[in-house]
């Protein structure tokens, strides 16, 4: 498998060398998406070495740039090493197709590109929650609060809430940098929300507000990783933020495989095995990343499983990095989201027993406010000197954006029964969540009907991650096209239907198995057409390649 | 415990960020105890009472609540040009403020930024290459952009970055976090913080003799914390130097609207570079940074900014794009602020008069405050201060008497930290000690913003003078001063 990928990369590099220099192209990204980060492998040096030797040739081919101080062969190799498939090659092709569609409509068998590559609900027509946006508008232009006409255009509780929020901001200045952890009054609201969710106390001083959840993950990686000797246990398949961030910080990703056959189950025995394996290679594992509900795998962990994970971290002295950004996205009645902090506290473990970081984002849930870049991490079980270091790193970036902060406090303290907006808020929220559940079910059933495709149910999150049993002929064709087989499938799917999905190789998978990730986010009225196009495409693909 | 202090990444521990350091924390404590604190530690205008410009806030409020645009009564609250602009910016998004944008920022806004850059350069020369939206990346504030670029440049401690001293500590902090080496070049205080290219040569030679490969140079123009504006001739020398020494120039130009004198208007490094022509215009790699946090906008809390790359090879741009994509996208409302900043209301627009009045009012007041502050400092015993030509700061030198140095030593404090803490306790004025920015050995400064409200300024300067008089009287035993 590995040899295969490297062979592909070599071919691609050769091809690139022969090609004349092309400005503004994505050759390099394409190339990168084929190279695995080394951490998951026993031969960590091969791919970076391959890359750096090739890259000097590549920049050399562009003679006008060879005398410049910063070229591809002289940039930080950690930057070259990291990859992020959610916005990789397939998306670039899709964007080109979209541009071309505007003028060249008749050339394609579809009339629009449907982006199922990324959890970006509002780009696919999901409407924001009205109450949240009313409050944000009022906080954006506070002069509105002095106008009598405002009462005709805004709900009364949004006006009250905007006043309340402004009172918590020093000088009511929404245009000022805040405390580097976020505005204290907003952190109070978040802590209260966590308390209400978990039934255990939360301290506003433990909250660090961030521009989306990703910067929080980066901050923790920066703190934990000193060199490639530091390892982070990550699920495979995983959300590539983790592999990319670990690569950028020069650490080692220590993989643990989720068990597809048992609904992407997380086995403690697998964690132990991988931990021992890493130790034997001289890697000190510092933390365990768990994504619950899972991305891209959509499973929701059982409380019992979570207890075992907590015990494992406690016993092995690992920081538990709990990615809980999909906590509101649970679609099945037999599963419920439990935060790791609640689980740990209910086991009687306090600050001294376990170091736990919980990440939350305003980009997911029923709110889906991706463009706002809001989120927070709740940091517990660290000594004060470590906490000071986290604060210092946060302070270098001054603070996260204020409207993201306001929104993060709002999602943790939404309207209550009796409030003017409560009924409409609940209707909007339930409408979105129940529709997501329906879409997840419809797509899952459709995928399971396809020849050679099996798909676990999306218990939560926003994705389906079907396994495609690709015929040997398709694999051979992919090899001939110098593409990973799942990327080959996804490209064919895009070209035939306009549907954009991400190949499983971007998330990693058990070698020899092939998947893709598809969001459940297209609007409900589009789902039947998507199912039809997907079914038709798959049938013709199989007709072409069936062994 | 899973994460002990000893086990932390050493680069994190090494990193220092004084703007929010000991002084700031002490000031926050005092504030909690009920003392009135004047925060002049961070360039954060709205926190000190500067009112936001009305027009951009109207546009962004409408983008936050797009359903207002369908309300027949929207005209009662918003002028027609704000409504039109909100519709325009929403049309550039792919799902409003709630959708991730392109990781480089909305293409439509990047195009407006490119046009702005183009317009500003067009004044003098007619024929030069267009600013290309593909080489402009929007960011969550300028700091994020600086971090992205330095992350790309720094491979390890063998890579050095030339940084002015005194400098804005973002640079030292980021270089430590990334494990690179800061190579200082000293600005000449006696020449109004002038940048002497001979100093640069010395710094580079010295770094190279230590085995450091110097890869990039940072200039902050107008200067932070030093407030000087670079002349065109000086910028030319710098660009030539970068060309000869093969350095990427990082041009921190976030204070480009903040100019308080007429002799040296702001001129961008890009414009100077393009005017220089061949071989420089194609041979110097330049990254310029801008933000919505400064200028007369002062929208710090939005976290909006951009950088523009010149002569960066496409394949490197792709790598920078890839790293940007891991963070998904900069926040969209700040992108719209950036769009508005580079294309503000024009004469004839309904909101033009108000916008012009507000922005002129802020800039003129800042100009007066810069003068009040410099004059105030220069009237104090043992204090000398260069005039704030631009940016938002005053950086007076405090000649600490030996008695004060000794007292500081006894208190276990760096002398200027000692002075600033005393100042804070006595007056509530929260400043940043010069040691946080770097300074020549044995010379001490403090940085204060010029942002307190104009009407409060005389009182602040009086209270500073009173404190300084008492401090000097207490510690100045007549045996001379710390050397200049």
């Amino acid at each position: 498998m590995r040899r295969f990928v490297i062979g592909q990369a070599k071919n691609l590099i050769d091809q690139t060398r022969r090609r004349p220099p092309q400005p503004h192209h994505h050759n390099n990204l394409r190339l990168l998406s084929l190279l695995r980060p080394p951490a998951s492998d026993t031969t960590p040096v091969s791919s970076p070495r391959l890359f750096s030797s090739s890259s000097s040739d590549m920049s050399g081919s562009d003679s006008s740039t060879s005398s410049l101080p910063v070229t591809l062969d002289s940039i930080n190799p950690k930057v070259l090493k990291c990859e992020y498939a959610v916005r990789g090659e397939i998306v670039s092709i899709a964007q080109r197709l979209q541009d071309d569609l505007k003028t060249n409509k008749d050339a394609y068998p579809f009339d629009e590109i449907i982006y199922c590559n990324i959890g970006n609900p509002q780009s696919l027509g999901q409407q924001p929650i009205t109450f949240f946006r009313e409050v944000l508008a009022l906080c954006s232009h506070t002069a509105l609060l002095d106008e009598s006409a405002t009462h005709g255009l805004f709900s009364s509780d949004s006006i009250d809430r905007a006043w309340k929020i402004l009172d918590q901001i020093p000088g009511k200045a929404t245009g000022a940098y805040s405390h580097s952890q976020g505005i204290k009054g907003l952190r109070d609201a978040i802590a209260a929300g966590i308390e209400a969710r978990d039934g255990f106390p939360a301290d506003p001083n433990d909250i660090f507000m961030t521009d989306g959840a990703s910067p929080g993950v980066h901050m923790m990686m920066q703190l934990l990783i000193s060199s490639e000797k530091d390892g982070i246990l990550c699920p495979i398949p995983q959300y590539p933020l983790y592999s990319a961030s670990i690569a950028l910080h020069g650490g080692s990703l220590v993989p643990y495989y989720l068990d597809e056959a048992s609904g992407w189950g997380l086995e403690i025995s697998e964690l132990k095995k991988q931990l021992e394996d890493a130790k034997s290679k001289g890697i000190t594992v510092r933390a365990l990343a768990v994504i619950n509900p899972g991305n891209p795998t959509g499973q929701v962990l059982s409380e019992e499983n979570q207890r075992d994970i907590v015990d494992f971290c406690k016993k092995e002295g690992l920081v538990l990095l709990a990615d809980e950004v999909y906590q509101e996205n649970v679609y099945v009645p037999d599963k419920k989201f439990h935060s790791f902090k609640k689980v740990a506290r209910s086991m009687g473990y306090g600050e001294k027993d376990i170091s736990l970081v919980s990440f939350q984002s305003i980009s997911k849930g029923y709110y889906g406010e991706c463009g706002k870049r809001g989120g927070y991490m709740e940091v517990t079980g660290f000594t004060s000197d470590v906490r000071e270091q986290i604060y210092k790193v946060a302070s270098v970036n001054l603070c996260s954006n204020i409207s993201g902060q306001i929104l993060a406090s709002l999602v943790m303290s939404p309207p209550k029964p009796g409030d003017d907006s409560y009924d409409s808020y609940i209707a909007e929220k339930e409408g979105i969540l129940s529709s997501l559940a329906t879409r997840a079910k419809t797509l899952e059933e459709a995928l399971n009907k396809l020849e050679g495709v099996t798909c676990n149910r999306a218990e939560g999150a926003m994705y389906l991650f079907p396994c495609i049993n690709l015929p040997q002929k398709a694999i051979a064709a992919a090899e001939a096209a110098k593409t990973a087989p799942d990327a080959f499938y996804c490209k064919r799917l895009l070209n035939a239907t306009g549907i954009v999905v991400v190949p499983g190789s971007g998330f990693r998978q058990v070698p020899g198995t092939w998947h893709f990730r598809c969001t459940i986010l297209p609007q409900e009225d589009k789902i039947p057409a998507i199912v039809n196009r997907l079914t038709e495409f798959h049938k013709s693909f199989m007709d072409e390649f069936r062994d | 415990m899973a994460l002990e202090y000893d086990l932390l990444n050493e680069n994190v521990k090494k990193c220092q960020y004084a703007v929010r350091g000991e002084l700031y924390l002490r000031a926050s404590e005092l504030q909690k105890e009920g003392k009135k604190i004047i925060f002049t530690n961070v360039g954060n205008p709205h926190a000190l009472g500067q009112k936001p410009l009305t027009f951009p806030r109207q546009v962004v409020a409408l983008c936050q609540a797009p359903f207002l645009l369908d309300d027949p009564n929207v005209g009662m609250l918003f002028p027609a040009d704000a409504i039109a602009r909100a519709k325009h910016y929403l049309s550039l998004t792919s799902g409003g403020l709630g959708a991730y944008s392109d990781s480089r920022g909305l293409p439509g806004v990047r195009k407006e930024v490119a046009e702005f850059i183009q317009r500003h350069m067009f004044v003098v020369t007619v024929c030069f290459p267009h600013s290309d939206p593909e080489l402009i990346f929007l960011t969550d504030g300028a700091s994020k952009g600086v971090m992205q670029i330095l992350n790309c440049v720094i491979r390890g401690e063998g890579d050095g970055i030339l940084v002015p001293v005194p400098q804005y500590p973002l640079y030292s902090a980021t270089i430590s976090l990334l494990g690179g080496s800061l190579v200082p070049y000293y600005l000449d205080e006696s020449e109004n913080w002038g940048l002497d290219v001979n100093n640069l040569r010395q710094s580079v030679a010295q770094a190279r003799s230590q085995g450091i490969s110097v890869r990039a140079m940072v200039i902050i123009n107008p200067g932070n914390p030093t407030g000087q504006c670079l002349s065109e001739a000086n910028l030319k020398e710098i660009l030539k130097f970068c060309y000869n020494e093969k350095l990427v120039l990082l041009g921190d130009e976030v204070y480009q609207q903040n100019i308080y004198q007429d002799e040296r208007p702001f001129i961008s490094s890009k414009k100077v570079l393009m005017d220089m022509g061949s071989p420089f215009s194609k041979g110097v790699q330049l990254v310029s940074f801008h933000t919505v946090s400064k200028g007369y906008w002062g929208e710090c809390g939005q976290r909006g900014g951009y950088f523009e790359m010149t002569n960066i090879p496409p394949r490197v741009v792709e790598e920078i794009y890839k790293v940007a994509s891991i963070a998904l996208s900069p926040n969209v409302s700040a992108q719209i602020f950036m769009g508005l900043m580079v294309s503000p209301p024009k004469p004839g627009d309904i909101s033009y008069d108000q916008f012009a009045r507000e922005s002129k009012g802020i800039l003129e007041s800042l100009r007066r405050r810069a003068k009040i502050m410099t004059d105030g400092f220069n009237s104090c015993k043992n204090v000398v201060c260069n005039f704030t030509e631009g940016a938002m700061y005053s950086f007076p030198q405090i000649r600490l008497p030996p008695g004060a140095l000794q007292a500081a030593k006894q208190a276990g404090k760096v002398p200027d930290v000692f002075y600033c803490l005393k100042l804070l306790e006595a007056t509530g004025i929260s400043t940043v000690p010069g040691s946080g920015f770097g300074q020549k050995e044995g010379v001490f400064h403090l940085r204060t913003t010029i942002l307190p409200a104009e009407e409060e300024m005389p009182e602040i300067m009086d209270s500073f003078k009173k404190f300084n008089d008492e401090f000097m009287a207490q510690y100045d035993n007549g045996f001379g001063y710390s050397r200049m």
Side-chain angles (χ1 to χ4, degrees), chain B residues 9-79:
Chain B
N9 182 348
E10 285 302 321
N11 292 337
V12 170
K13 287 191 249 178
K14 248 185 280 169
C15 146
Q16 298 275 336
Y17 194 68
V19 174
R20 297 216 154 178
E22 181 182 357
L23 258 291
Y24 173 75
L25 292 173
R26 178 70 188 134
S28 303
E29 267 171 39
L30 288 171
Q31 191 183 37
K32 265 184 222 152
E33 291 164 16
K35 189 173 171 74
K36 188 187 174 214
I37 302 295
I38 303 151
F39 283 100
T40 69
N41 56 307
V42 182
N44 194 8
H46 292 203
L48 293 171
Q50 182 179 310
K51 293 276 165 281
L53 300 165
T54 304
F55 181 74
R57 290 302 192 107
Q58 288 171 329
V59 175
V60 171
L62 286 165
C63 293
Q64 297 277 19
F67 37 85
L68 292 176
L69 295 166
D70 303 326
D71 194 304
N73 292 323
V74 65
M76 293 169 72
L77 287 171
F78 296 91

Side-chain angles (χ1 to χ4, degrees), chain A residues 28 74 82 87 372 392, chain B residues 15 64 103 215 319 322:
Chain A
N28 187 44
S74 67
C82 84
R87 295 212 156 179
K372 300 286 181 192
K392 185 179 70 185
Chain B
C15 146
Q64 297 277 19
S103 301
R215 308 208 55 210
E319 291 300 314
K322 181 183 71 185

Side-chain angles (χ1 to χ4, degrees), chain A residues 311-385:
Chain A
D311 265 328
F312 174 78
C313 289
K314 182 173 185 291
K315 186 164 156 261
E316 302 293 345
L318 303 181
V319 177
L320 178 52
L321 302 174
D323 181 335
E324 299 179 331
V325 301
Y326 296 99
Q327 55 188 268
E328 302 268 9
N329 299 93
V330 177
Y331 308 119
V332 289
D334 55 323
K335 288 288 179 80
K336 205 171 167 288
F337 168 78
H338 303 279
S339 78
F340 269 104
K341 179 155 163 256
K342 174 185 157 187
V343 171
R345 295 294 177 266
S346 65
M347 293 166 77
Y349 295 153
E351 287 274 339
K352 292 208 158 58
D353 300 302
I354 181 158
S355 303
L356 172 62
V357 185
S358 162
F359 300 95
Q360 165 68 319
S361 164
I362 59 173
S363 305
K364 309 303 169 189
Y366 56 91
Y367 20 90
E369 293 274 15
C370 301
K372 300 286 181 192
R373 313 310 292 122
Y376 69 80
M377 55 179 182
E378 186 192 13
V379 176
T380 56
F382 291 94
T383 53
S384 61
D385 47 5

Side-chain angles (χ1 to χ4, degrees), chain B residues 172-193:
Chain B
S172 50
T174 305
I175 293 167
S176 320
L177 278 178
L178 295 170
S181 293
L182 186 149
V183 179
Y185 65 91
Y186 287 89
L187 300 175
D188 186 356
E189 186 165 12
S190 62
E191 290 293 326
N192 205 12
W193 299 114

Side-chain angles (χ1 to χ4, degrees), chain B residues 29 72 144 180 321 353 362 401 445 479:
Chain B
E29 267 171 39
K144 281 266 168 76
Y321 179 21
D353 287 344
I362 292 166
H445 298 82
F479 289 111

